[in-house]
Amino acid sequence: QDTQEKDKALPPERAEEAKLKAKYPNLGQRPGGSDFLMKRLQKGQKYFDSGDYNMAKAKMKNKQLPSAGPDKNLVTGDHIPTPQDLPQRKSSLVTSKLAG
Amino acid sequence: FLGAGGGNDIQWCFSQVKGAVDDDVAEADIISTVEFNHSGELLATGDKGGRVVIFQQEQENKTQSHSRGEYNVYSTFQSHEPEFDYLKSLEIEEKINKIRWLPQKNAAQFLLSTNDKTIKLWKISERDKRPEGYNLKEEDGRYRDPTTVTTLRVPVFRPMDLMVEASPRRIFANAHTYHINSISINSDYETYLSADDLRINLWHLEITDRNIVDIKPANMEELTEVITAAEFHPNSCSTFVYSSSKGTIRLCDMRASALCDRHSKLFEEPEDPSNRSFFSEIISSISDVKFSHSGRYMMTRDYLSVKIWDLNMENRPVETYQVHEYLRSKLCSLYENDCIFDKFECCWNGSDSIVMTGSYNNFFRMFDRNTKRDITLEASRENNKPRTVLKPRKVCASGKRKKDEISVDSLDFNKKILHTAWHPKENIIAVATTNNLYIFQDKMN
């Protein structure tokens, strides 16, 4: 009963904001602005450095490259991310089910 | 409601549904765009897997006057492939963000399809004849021994089973640093625009490219606003609009200057400062902007509402329709599950009298601008008997739930209808759920 009355005083949007701030007290000072925009602009960014990759390739010319098998989530010192390690993005070879 | 009785209201009936029945949806099958062509005969869809499927309406059967032609698969092709830009360490999705049809000029059909970075012009052509009776080749293509040729004949075209071929005619690449959200063809039918978060490019369908809008700040720390959608005016070939993440729309005239960074008109509704909250800007972000067919109005969609603007009045919309106002008291959880960032589209019917947009729980909404009535319908396989009129739905925001109503907390927020399209001339609509395409039409007597 008490909380209902408290909510009545605040417009619903502000009540929701209070809820959010209670859960995440460190949420950005600026209301919903730049953080989201930067995240939106950076969509698709992966961590692959072509310089590191080529250096590692040269260094490991005579060594066997650690294969990106089931342990690929374990990163060791010598293991430089390679294009093969990145999540495989193969194009769909299957016809769309809408056309089925 | 619309359709709850009354002679002139539309009664919507299920017509068809395309796609798999299973609940386990593969990422690639998520539908990302739906668009009728200018005659309404063709309906194109794009998906997250970079594929385009085009449906064609059957010719009307004169004896079956109680239903319009069905949409059947006409062509399907892989438009875009996933790419990795090693130089920028950027993964480029093959998801088709938008499809726009060119008006038909000859026997072939042309459409533009775009992913985040590359726009492609596709030609879709029919082949229903093939040449037969070559002198130097057998029917299977093998070359004949010239010494065995003793007579000459004239090859003729003979009918063959219809083949529909899609071929890429132009690829417009490397012009967008950020992610493309819109493409729009100019009424001159020669140029088109493509918009990303910070820039709008003008293209000639044959060759050129240049920026016509650039809002990238010199210092990215100062970034406060991005472009969310853009469209050319349907009749005025020098006019276009673009919407922003702050809920504003700018109208630009390309005759004013080469770079349209200064708008001709700025459409913005004043905000009530006492209502301002953490969520205000996020929910005011415009996810879609569409001109009316007449060119007199434009419609914008933000998270909770649809607004109609008169191009002659910048300081506020002339009409506002609440799509799902009951979500305003759920913004905290909608922010936590990212739904608050869902980008809903909207569309006009052919006569600009009704507007439509999607919501959650596979619900979609229509607003009649003349009668001021609205209706909520559901795209579900449960209603899939042709010619059965769809039952209106109602969400119970608070208090006692009536029979047949659904409470806000029971809504399925994974079932979103983001993309809808209205046939340009008829009361036929295409509604995309996550991975299914529904076609509804009005009940014909």
Side-chain angles (χ1 to χ4, degrees), chain B residues 108-374:
Chain B
Q109 300 278 356
F110 288 85
L111 60 80
L112 285 176
S113 69
T114 187
N115 70 349
D116 282 338
K117 295 288 180 182
T118 304
I119 305 143
K120 296 188 183 181
L121 176 69
W122 287 89
K123 176 180 178 182
I124 295 113
S125 46
E126 292 184 0
R127 201 201 290 253
D128 61 0
K129 296 186 267 291
R130 66 155 176 250
E132 287 178 19
Y134 284 107
N135 290 290
L136 297 176
K137 272 200 288 191
E138 303 286 3
E139 291 311 325
D140 61 11
R142 280 178 305 148
Y143 280 96
R144 291 166 80 183
D145 177 356
T147 58
T148 63
V149 179
T150 53
T151 59
L152 281 180
R153 57 188 173 171
V154 177
V156 292
F157 276 100
R158 294 223 186 280
M160 62 180 250
D161 286 340
L162 179 68
M163 218 165 68
V164 182
E165 299 167 320
S167 56
R169 304 302 284 179
R170 301 268 185 279
I171 298 183
F172 305 93
N174 301 321
H176 283 279
T177 305
Y178 302 98
H179 299 96
I180 298 173
N181 53 54
S182 313
I183 46 176
S184 175
I185 297 165
N186 198 327
S187 52
D188 66 8
Y189 301 156
E190 286 188 350
T191 57
Y192 74 95
L193 62 76
S194 58
D196 67 28
D197 296 301
L198 297 177
R199 297 189 176 104
I200 300 179
N201 292 339
L202 176 75
W203 303 84
H204 194 283
L205 283 164
E206 295 299 317
I207 348 141
T208 346
D209 81 276
R210 74 186 145 100
N211 271 162
I212 46 176
V213 170
D214 184 340
I215 65 165
K216 186 177 178 198
N219 181 0
M220 283 298 270
E221 303 270 304
E222 288 165 28
L223 180 71
T224 56
E225 192 171 17
V226 294
I227 297 167
T228 52
E231 193 176 63
F232 265 121
H233 190 277
N235 308 317
S236 168
C237 60
S238 55
T239 306
F240 67 93
V241 292
Y242 68 92
S243 58
S244 84
S245 53
K246 278 189 157 173
T248 64
I249 309 101
R250 287 173 176 78
L251 184 139
C252 301
D253 189 324
M254 297 194 293
R255 294 166 298 191
S257 63
L259 192 57
C260 297
D261 281 355
R262 276 211 309 258
H263 52 264
S264 299
K265 293 193 186 191
L266 174 65
F267 297 83
E268 187 172 15
E269 184 167 24
E271 191 193 14
D272 179 1
S274 66
N275 270 338
R276 187 151 183 88
S277 75
F278 175 84
F279 304 110
S280 300
E281 193 174 304
I282 304 172
I283 63 173
S284 72
S285 177
I286 291 171
S287 47
D288 195 17
V289 63
K290 291 265 174 43
F291 277 106
S292 63
H293 294 89
S294 64
R296 164 97 192 267
Y297 299 97
M298 65 180 175
M299 164 167 56
T300 56
R301 175 69 155 99
D302 51 69
Y303 191 60
L304 297 178
S305 67
V306 160
K307 294 180 179 166
I308 312 281
W309 304 79
D310 184 321
L311 292 189
N312 298 316
M313 189 160 75
E314 297 166 64
N315 61 352
R316 60 180 170 78
V318 289
E319 294 153 41
T320 301
Y321 301 103
Q322 300 301 337
V323 181
H324 36 218
E325 179 66 14
Y326 46 78
L327 295 184
R328 200 181 288 271
S329 38
K330 301 287 171 196
L331 292 178
C332 180
S333 23
L334 292 168
Y335 173 86
E336 289 181 287
N337 62 20
D338 271 355
C339 284
I340 205 175
F341 300 105
D342 285 336
K343 296 177 177 51
F344 292 94
E345 291 173 8
C346 52
C347 62
W348 299 84
N349 72 340
S351 60
D352 297 335
S353 60
I354 306 178
V355 296
M356 167 166 69
T357 190
S359 179
Y360 294 104
N361 210 69
N362 282 346
F363 288 171
F364 57 102
R365 305 264 284 134
M366 291 185 191
F367 303 93
D368 188 318
R369 300 177 61 214
N370 298 324
T371 64
K372 299 303 182 202
R373 291 210 292 271
D374 61 83

Side-chain angles (χ1 to χ4, degrees), chain B residues 11-26:
Chain B
Q11 294 186 292
W12 290 101
C13 304
F14 171 86
S15 176
Q16 300 171 267
V17 62
K18 310 276 184 195
V21 188
D22 54 66
D23 281 335
D24 192 14
V25 182

Side-chain angles (χ1 to χ4, degrees), chain A residues 37-47, chain B residues 90 179:
Chain A
L37 299 184
M38 292 315 277
K39 207 167 109 167
R40 179 184 170 134
L41 296 181
Q42 277 163 18
K43 173 191 155 196
Q45 201 74 51
K46 298 290 181 212
Y47 296 100
Chain B
L90 197 66
H179 299 96

Side-chain angles (χ1 to χ4, degrees), chain A residues 11-14 16-17 19-20 23-24 27 31-34 36-38 40-41 43-46 48 83 86 89-92 94-99, chain B residues 18 20 29 45 49 51 53 78 81-82 86 88-89 91 93-94 116 179 197 220 223-225 274 276-280 328-332 335-336 341:
Chain A
E13 224 174 287
R14 297 276 286 277
E16 289 295 297
E17 179 183 41
K19 243 193 261 179
L20 192 69
K23 274 192 185 181
Y24 308 102
L27 203 54
S34 288
F36 303 117
L37 299 184
M38 292 315 277
R40 179 184 170 134
L41 296 181
K43 173 191 155 196
Q45 201 74 51
K46 298 290 181 212
F48 170 78
L86 295 166
R89 297 301 340 278
K90 282 200 276 252
S91 69
S92 324
V94 183
T95 309
S96 163
K97 294 196 180 112
L98 291 183
Chain B
K18 310 276 184 195
D29 290 326
T45 60
R51 300 164 300 189
V53 183
Q78 185 79 34
E81 307 265 357
Y86 292 104
K88 294 181 188 163
S89 280
E91 182 176 76
E93 267 194 307
E94 66 277 35
D116 282 338
H179 299 96
D197 296 301
M220 283 298 270
L223 180 71
T224 56
E225 192 171 17
S274 66
R276 187 151 183 88
S277 75
F278 175 84
F279 304 110
S280 300
R328 200 181 288 271
S329 38
K330 301 287 171 196
L331 292 178
C332 180
Y335 173 86
E336 289 181 287
F341 300 105

